[in-house]
Amino acid sequence: MSVHFKMKHKICMASDFFYPNMGGVEEHIFNLSQCLLMKGYKVIVLTHSYQDRVGVRYMTNGLKVYYLPIKPFYNQCVLPSMVSSLPLIRYVLVREQITIIHGHSAFSTLAHETMMIGRLLGIQTVFTDHSLFGFADTSAIITNKFLEMSLADCNHCICVSHIGKENTVLRARVNHHRVSVIPNAVDTTAFVPKLELRTKNKITIVVVSRLVYRKGVDLLAQIIADVCLKNQKVQFIIGGDGPKRELLEDTRNNLNIGEQVTLLGSLEHSQVCNVLNRGHIFLNTSLTEAYCMAIVEAASCGLKIVSTRVGGIPEVLPPELIILTEPNVPSILQGLYKAINQVNSELGVPPIECHRKVQSLYNWMNIAKRTEIVYNMVSLEPPKSLGKQLRSYIPTGVYPFLLVVSFMHILLRLLDWWIPRSDIDLAKDYKIEDSQVNSNSSVLENQ
Amino acid sequence: MVGQSGTFWKSTSDNRLVLKSSIQESLKHSCIEYCVEKREKFSYTECIVVMLSLLVAAYSYLVNSTVLCSKTVFIIAVVLFIIGLRFSFKVCNESLLITAPIGLQLTTTYITGRQRVFSLPWESITDVLIVDVIHTQKVLYYLAIKTPQNGIVTLFQKSSPRLHFLEIIYKDVYKLLENNR
């Protein structure tokens, strides 16, 4: 590893979403933290409690996770009271000597709360937005306003795609200079092509997604009907569950194509690889998407990808690995037949080649390196005074919020007197053994 | 075997607690005693509250207006009752005694002189740890004993000494466990 000046940041990942919950954000936080730990930073994760999982836990490589005893209130999020858990969050931030807070996901109120407290304590904050949002419905309007307030004083934002950046800049009115794009990555070693699992005499189309309106399940139902009736040698495997599952079941029963359509229900993440490897073609019919992890995973398994051209999807894969269509039935069908022809005549990029390409494009170490640049940049920014901080909230137009922030400031001052910093025991850093550090640095060199 | 009470060989202190040990260095391979004692038995705020309530009582007695008197007497009685209750549950010191093949004993002495004893047999002590515990709005370090039956048992729960005290105790207990395994 090249010897250069490196700041040892102490990073706090704050989000409502973390293991044992499963999903894209959780995986992102875990993998990013692991890579940062390997690079020698100190990383802790702050999340709320899950059932009996309360307290401090350690995960792989000494990743310290604080499951704070706060009850989730709606959709796995805590109630944004801003005040009730303030002493506890301050205590954790002080005892771990955090220098950077990295909040994840716009839905996560705990992330916003921690970032706000961090700003008042003079800690730099970074925020990663994982999803795209509309502007029209009530929930979007509320979330957007909340996000705008929260990001008004955030040092830097990270989005997962350029479309995501555009979206965030528009709805949260963040200056685009303060927004970077760092995509997600996929653990390519877990998604390798296994050609022996594929069916020989039939062409299998795999769909893995939550079965909800946003994912275009209505389109999918029509496509299944059309393809199965025209082409007896095609079968569908559908993984995932959701409110639209009934629609697919109805289509299957009405047309009597039970042998050609398999509904697997919800899948564990470890099962996804095996399901993907059973297919030749991966179909994605999303109507909106910030960044589609599923198609990267499928491409890593060497499948042909057919996907709608929405959101950040065109940025995700190079054009030779993906067939893009418009989000309507005729266009998707056209793309699908093109893919079927390619499979029949063995045209296009072969699976192993495909895997190698994805591997070269996506790895977590690269993501961590780019995030590190953001951290280094942010840590050089000068601290803001309270007045300046309050002034940055004024453009949002929510004046009562200034009162909330001022009240939080007063509370923090009070706590400084009641539980002074000298009364807080500093947490010991987890030491990775020398041999492990060496092997880690050799991994870094290879990449 | 245990040093005479009153003769303390070693004591360390910070602004809140005093850590005392009455065992000689040469005996530490088989026996450890540590005592965590509060420096001040009454905190300032409690003294101030008691003084204030007594003052108010005296004032209302002197002014001698019956309405004021009956109400304030009631309030003061409640305040004093609560403080009295607090005192009776207030811990004055906690002392830990571990003797090699016998076991562990934790004695909690309350300000009223009441004592509570917690003990564990030697077989059920598998390991000693320092753990992070989220306690109300704080994250504190506690010394804990790992047992096969009850899982983890935390020690010094009432006085919750700072980390540097725990480290001193931990080192000795760890050495003792290692020597007598």
PDB file of all heavy atoms in Angstrom, chain B residues 139-151:
ATOM      1  N   VAL B 139     -24.254   4.494  28.227  1.00  0.00           N
ATOM      2  CA  VAL B 139     -23.622   3.218  27.896  1.00  0.00           C
ATOM      3  C   VAL B 139     -22.443   3.069  28.839  1.00  0.00           C
ATOM      4  O   VAL B 139     -21.500   3.846  28.779  1.00  0.00           O
ATOM      5  CB  VAL B 139     -23.132   3.190  26.439  1.00  0.00           C
ATOM      6  CG1 VAL B 139     -22.663   1.802  26.072  1.00  0.00           C
ATOM      7  CG2 VAL B 139     -24.225   3.628  25.500  1.00  0.00           C
ATOM      8  N   LEU B 140     -22.531   2.104  29.729  1.00  0.00           N
ATOM      9  CA  LEU B 140     -21.534   1.982  30.784  1.00  0.00           C
ATOM     10  C   LEU B 140     -20.787   0.664  30.686  1.00  0.00           C
ATOM     11  O   LEU B 140     -21.267  -0.300  30.106  1.00  0.00           O
ATOM     12  CB  LEU B 140     -22.207   2.057  32.156  1.00  0.00           C
ATOM     13  CG  LEU B 140     -22.960   3.347  32.473  1.00  0.00           C
ATOM     14  CD1 LEU B 140     -23.741   3.171  33.754  1.00  0.00           C
ATOM     15  CD2 LEU B 140     -22.009   4.509  32.572  1.00  0.00           C
ATOM     16  N   TYR B 141     -19.606   0.668  31.265  1.00  0.00           N
ATOM     17  CA  TYR B 141     -18.854  -0.581  31.382  1.00  0.00           C
ATOM     18  C   TYR B 141     -19.187  -1.252  32.707  1.00  0.00           C
ATOM     19  O   TYR B 141     -19.279  -0.575  33.737  1.00  0.00           O
ATOM     20  CB  TYR B 141     -17.359  -0.292  31.345  1.00  0.00           C
ATOM     21  CG  TYR B 141     -16.830  -0.056  29.965  1.00  0.00           C
ATOM     22  CD1 TYR B 141     -16.366   1.187  29.578  1.00  0.00           C
ATOM     23  CD2 TYR B 141     -16.777  -1.097  29.052  1.00  0.00           C
ATOM     24  CE1 TYR B 141     -15.868   1.393  28.308  1.00  0.00           C
ATOM     25  CE2 TYR B 141     -16.290  -0.905  27.785  1.00  0.00           C
ATOM     26  CZ  TYR B 141     -15.833   0.345  27.417  1.00  0.00           C
ATOM     27  OH  TYR B 141     -15.349   0.534  26.170  1.00  0.00           O
ATOM     28  N   TYR B 142     -19.362  -2.552  32.675  1.00  0.00           N
ATOM     29  CA  TYR B 142     -19.565  -3.296  33.909  1.00  0.00           C
ATOM     30  C   TYR B 142     -18.633  -4.500  33.930  1.00  0.00           C
ATOM     31  O   TYR B 142     -18.307  -5.056  32.878  1.00  0.00           O
ATOM     32  CB  TYR B 142     -21.003  -3.803  34.011  1.00  0.00           C
ATOM     33  CG  TYR B 142     -21.986  -2.752  34.466  1.00  0.00           C
ATOM     34  CD1 TYR B 142     -22.832  -2.141  33.561  1.00  0.00           C
ATOM     35  CD2 TYR B 142     -22.053  -2.389  35.800  1.00  0.00           C
ATOM     36  CE1 TYR B 142     -23.735  -1.181  33.972  1.00  0.00           C
ATOM     37  CE2 TYR B 142     -22.962  -1.430  36.220  1.00  0.00           C
ATOM     38  CZ  TYR B 142     -23.794  -0.825  35.306  1.00  0.00           C
ATOM     39  OH  TYR B 142     -24.676   0.115  35.719  1.00  0.00           O
ATOM     40  N   LEU B 143     -18.222  -4.861  35.131  1.00  0.00           N
ATOM     41  CA  LEU B 143     -17.491  -6.111  35.294  1.00  0.00           C
ATOM     42  C   LEU B 143     -18.531  -7.220  35.360  1.00  0.00           C
ATOM     43  O   LEU B 143     -19.545  -7.070  36.024  1.00  0.00           O
ATOM     44  CB  LEU B 143     -16.678  -6.062  36.585  1.00  0.00           C
ATOM     45  CG  LEU B 143     -15.620  -7.135  36.750  1.00  0.00           C
ATOM     46  CD1 LEU B 143     -14.466  -6.851  35.817  1.00  0.00           C
ATOM     47  CD2 LEU B 143     -15.128  -7.180  38.169  1.00  0.00           C
ATOM     48  N   ALA B 144     -18.275  -8.315  34.648  1.00  0.00           N
ATOM     49  CA  ALA B 144     -19.280  -9.376  34.624  1.00  0.00           C
ATOM     50  C   ALA B 144     -18.618 -10.730  34.762  1.00  0.00           C
ATOM     51  O   ALA B 144     -17.465 -10.915  34.381  1.00  0.00           O
ATOM     52  CB  ALA B 144     -20.071  -9.313  33.332  1.00  0.00           C
ATOM     53  N   ILE B 145     -19.357 -11.648  35.346  1.00  0.00           N
ATOM     54  CA  ILE B 145     -18.887 -13.023  35.500  1.00  0.00           C
ATOM     55  C   ILE B 145     -19.732 -13.903  34.593  1.00  0.00           C
ATOM     56  O   ILE B 145     -20.955 -13.793  34.584  1.00  0.00           O
ATOM     57  CB  ILE B 145     -19.047 -13.507  36.962  1.00  0.00           C
ATOM     58  CG1 ILE B 145     -18.216 -12.648  37.910  1.00  0.00           C
ATOM     59  CG2 ILE B 145     -18.676 -14.974  37.098  1.00  0.00           C
ATOM     60  CD1 ILE B 145     -16.751 -12.888  37.890  1.00  0.00           C
ATOM     61  N   LYS B 146     -19.065 -14.727  33.834  1.00  0.00           N
ATOM     62  CA  LYS B 146     -19.796 -15.638  32.953  1.00  0.00           C
ATOM     63  C   LYS B 146     -20.069 -16.931  33.710  1.00  0.00           C
ATOM     64  O   LYS B 146     -19.154 -17.527  34.268  1.00  0.00           O
ATOM     65  CB  LYS B 146     -18.960 -15.917  31.715  1.00  0.00           C
ATOM     66  CG  LYS B 146     -19.773 -16.386  30.538  1.00  0.00           C
ATOM     67  CD  LYS B 146     -18.869 -16.488  29.345  1.00  0.00           C
ATOM     68  CE  LYS B 146     -19.412 -17.497  28.363  1.00  0.00           C
ATOM     69  NZ  LYS B 146     -18.395 -17.918  27.418  1.00  0.00           N
ATOM     70  N   THR B 147     -21.330 -17.315  33.749  1.00  0.00           N
ATOM     71  CA  THR B 147     -21.677 -18.552  34.444  1.00  0.00           C
ATOM     72  C   THR B 147     -22.408 -19.480  33.481  1.00  0.00           C
ATOM     73  O   THR B 147     -23.079 -19.012  32.567  1.00  0.00           O
ATOM     74  CB  THR B 147     -22.614 -18.268  35.638  1.00  0.00           C
ATOM     75  OG1 THR B 147     -23.799 -17.668  35.124  1.00  0.00           O
ATOM     76  CG2 THR B 147     -21.992 -17.355  36.653  1.00  0.00           C
ATOM     77  N   PRO B 148     -22.270 -20.775  33.693  1.00  0.00           N
ATOM     78  CA  PRO B 148     -22.971 -21.697  32.786  1.00  0.00           C
ATOM     79  C   PRO B 148     -24.482 -21.687  32.966  1.00  0.00           C
ATOM     80  O   PRO B 148     -25.226 -21.900  32.020  1.00  0.00           O
ATOM     81  CB  PRO B 148     -22.384 -23.061  33.122  1.00  0.00           C
ATOM     82  CG  PRO B 148     -21.599 -22.914  34.350  1.00  0.00           C
ATOM     83  CD  PRO B 148     -21.398 -21.470  34.633  1.00  0.00           C
ATOM     84  N   GLN B 149     -24.964 -21.431  34.203  1.00  0.00           N
ATOM     85  CA  GLN B 149     -26.405 -21.510  34.442  1.00  0.00           C
ATOM     86  C   GLN B 149     -27.125 -20.203  34.114  1.00  0.00           C
ATOM     87  O   GLN B 149     -28.097 -20.164  33.380  1.00  0.00           O
ATOM     88  CB  GLN B 149     -26.708 -21.879  35.911  1.00  0.00           C
ATOM     89  CG  GLN B 149     -26.257 -23.248  36.326  1.00  0.00           C
ATOM     90  CD  GLN B 149     -24.871 -23.184  36.932  1.00  0.00           C
ATOM     91  OE1 GLN B 149     -24.469 -22.167  37.456  1.00  0.00           O
ATOM     92  NE2 GLN B 149     -24.139 -24.293  36.856  1.00  0.00           N
ATOM     93  N   ASN B 150     -26.623 -19.090  34.668  1.00  0.00           N
ATOM     94  CA  ASN B 150     -27.375 -17.834  34.587  1.00  0.00           C
ATOM     95  C   ASN B 150     -26.865 -16.906  33.487  1.00  0.00           C
ATOM     96  O   ASN B 150     -27.223 -15.743  33.458  1.00  0.00           O
ATOM     97  CB  ASN B 150     -27.311 -17.094  35.915  1.00  0.00           C
ATOM     98  CG  ASN B 150     -27.759 -17.961  37.070  1.00  0.00           C
ATOM     99  OD1 ASN B 150     -28.435 -18.962  36.857  1.00  0.00           O
ATOM    100  ND2 ASN B 150     -27.364 -17.620  38.260  1.00  0.00           N
ATOM    101  N   GLY B 151     -25.996 -17.396  32.620  1.00  0.00           N
ATOM    102  CA  GLY B 151     -25.443 -16.505  31.606  1.00  0.00           C
ATOM    103  C   GLY B 151     -24.464 -15.529  32.228  1.00  0.00           C
ATOM    104  O   GLY B 151     -23.613 -15.928  33.023  1.00  0.00           O
TER     105      GLY B 151
END
